[in-house]
Amino acid sequence: MSERITGHTELIGLFATPIRHSISPQMHNESFARLGLDYAYLAFEVGKEELPAAIQSIKTLGMRGANLSMPNKQLACQYMDHLSPAAKMAGAINTIVNDDGVLTGHITDGTGFMSSLEMNGISIIGKQMTILGAGGAATAILIQAVLDGVGKISVFNAKDAFFATAADKIASIKAETGCDIQLHDLADEDLLRQEIAASAILVNATGVGMKPLEGQSLITDASLLRSDLVVADVIYTPSETALLKLAKAQGCQTLNGLGMLIGQGAAAFKLWTGKEMPVAEIKELLF
Ligand code: NAD
């Protein structure tokens, strides 16, 4: 690092809290070093109160940009000069790019998910997708899926606080894109069976399957799954959730959330540097 940092090194921040556990600093700094790029990536404990000043500092210090995570992804939108089409639809950003004092907000979680499918030789363009969950991760995935040309999306969510918000958001995405997206109650088991049967992929985009809900799955009836169904989970700790175990036993191709995590980082890396992250090397080194 001491050989790498110079007077010209440009800073990229990660604004979130809690954030000290994040692997993003290693992922990006290792990639900069391997490609000989003069950037440094640092994590900062930034909550909602500190966020306006932190974003102003991107301009003040001439930083190249930042990543955002909990609890800042939605709040940060109002401080951007521009939003990417996906970020505008999602009402959330995880990446800021500073071009000579002009800040553009992007959301790369959905891009990360779609690129992880591609890396595994899976194409769902023109096909149907069923998503469990309608929170931040699910919204980012479904927006990118719509933009990439997925044919139909069925979203199943519990009738919790997320449901009403999701209904409004899905209605506006549908109006803007014309894509066939439906929101259903997760408790409607018959409809869930019917939609999974018509889908090429089933995605768990909830935290059910990781701590404190590790060992649990929103799908427990193996007869809902068939061997030509792809089953993906956004969770990567544990690397195999109860859902993925059940799916694997049914002969399904399964994917955990690691590809999405690396994919969202690689997409942000490209926005800042214009270069491809050395994904295979990073995967081998860090995971
Ligand atoms: P969120 O709080 O925005 O949404 C949570 C979702 O989970 C909602 O749809 C909610 O209804 C549902 N949910 C929660 N508890 C439930 C339960 N007991 N039963 C049924 N549904 C339940 O969270 P988020 O940001 O969308 O994150 C969801 C998951 O995605 C987390 O596990 C997070 O770690 C993961 N994630 C992974 C990546 C990645 O790169 N792999 C990126 C973002 C998020």
Side-chain angles (χ1 to χ4, degrees):
M1 188 66 117
S2 59
E3 288 165 20
R4 207 171 70 71
I5 301 290
T6 72
H8 298 281
T9 305
E10 287 187 77
L11 180 61
I12 296 168
L14 169 56
F15 300 155
T17 186
I19 202 55
R20 296 297 170 196
H21 63 282
S22 172
I23 56 119
S24 291
Q26 287 155 282
M27 177 162 70
H28 287 290
N29 288 316
E30 192 60 40
S31 300
F32 298 145
R34 283 175 187 239
L35 298 187
L37 299 173
D38 203 2
Y39 298 95
Y41 183 108
L42 292 179
F44 298 94
E45 285 284 347
V46 171
K48 286 184 173 179
E49 269 187 33
E50 299 82 16
L51 188 67
I55 292 178
Q56 181 55 41
S57 73
I58 297 176
K59 290 190 180 185
T60 309
L61 303 177
M63 292 166 63
R64 179 62 181 130
N67 269 151
L68 302 156
S69 192
M70 286 272 285
N72 301 324
K73 285 180 164 183
Q74 289 167 311
L75 184 63
C77 289
Q78 63 190 267
Y79 303 108
M80 295 299 105
D81 299 306
H82 301 292
L83 290 173
S84 72
K88 198 180 272 183
M89 275 194 260
I93 60 174
N94 73 335
T95 302
I96 300 172
V97 178
N98 178 14
D99 290 311
D100 301 321
V102 178
L103 303 186
T104 305
H106 299 261
I107 182 106
T108 67
D109 292 321
T111 327
F113 179 80
M114 293 302 285
S115 71
S116 77
L117 295 186
E118 201 181 318
M119 276 166 61
N120 283 280
I122 299 160
S123 172
I124 55 167
I125 307 312
K127 298 179 185 167
Q128 181 171 339
M129 170 188 245
T130 294
I131 305 186
L132 309 175
T139 304
I141 290 171
L142 77 86
I143 287 170
Q144 197 58 46
V146 167
L147 293 175
D148 287 359
V150 166
K152 179 182 172 186
I153 303 178
S154 300
V155 182
F156 284 85
N157 205 82
K159 281 274 176 96
D160 59 13
F162 287 90
F163 196 94
T165 321
D168 290 345
K169 189 151 280 174
I170 286 172
S172 74
I173 296 167
K174 214 169 146 177
E176 193 160 330
T177 64
C179 183
D180 185 1
I181 314 172
Q182 309 289 340
L183 175 65
H184 307 292
D185 183 357
L186 183 62
D188 190 339
E189 289 174 19
D190 291 341
L191 192 56
L192 181 61
R193 180 180 292 276
Q194 184 184 308
E195 294 304 301
I196 293 176
S199 293
I201 185 167
L202 169 69
V203 185
N204 174 48
T206 76
V208 179
M210 68 181 281
K211 280 188 181 132
L213 303 174
E214 192 166 341
Q216 296 185 29
S217 170
L218 292 177
I219 306 279
T220 49
D221 179 353
S223 72
L224 266 70
L225 311 174
R226 44 174 222 283
S227 61
D228 65 337
L229 180 74
V230 174
V231 179
D233 207 316
V234 295
I235 294 169
Y236 51 89
T237 319
S239 60
E240 194 170 76
T241 57
L243 172 65
L244 294 190
K245 276 197 184 97
L246 187 73
K248 204 177 250 182
Q250 286 298 99
C252 304
Q253 182 175 357
T254 60
L255 268 83
N256 67 20
L258 200 55
M260 176 176 173
L261 178 74
I262 298 173
Q264 63 77 30
F269 187 89
K270 181 134 194 216
L271 287 167
W272 296 316
T273 67
K275 308 275 189 225
E276 300 292 340
M277 178 182 272
V279 165
E281 291 169 52
I282 292 300
K283 207 170 170 181
E284 198 164 309
L285 192 78
L286 296 179
F287 301 101

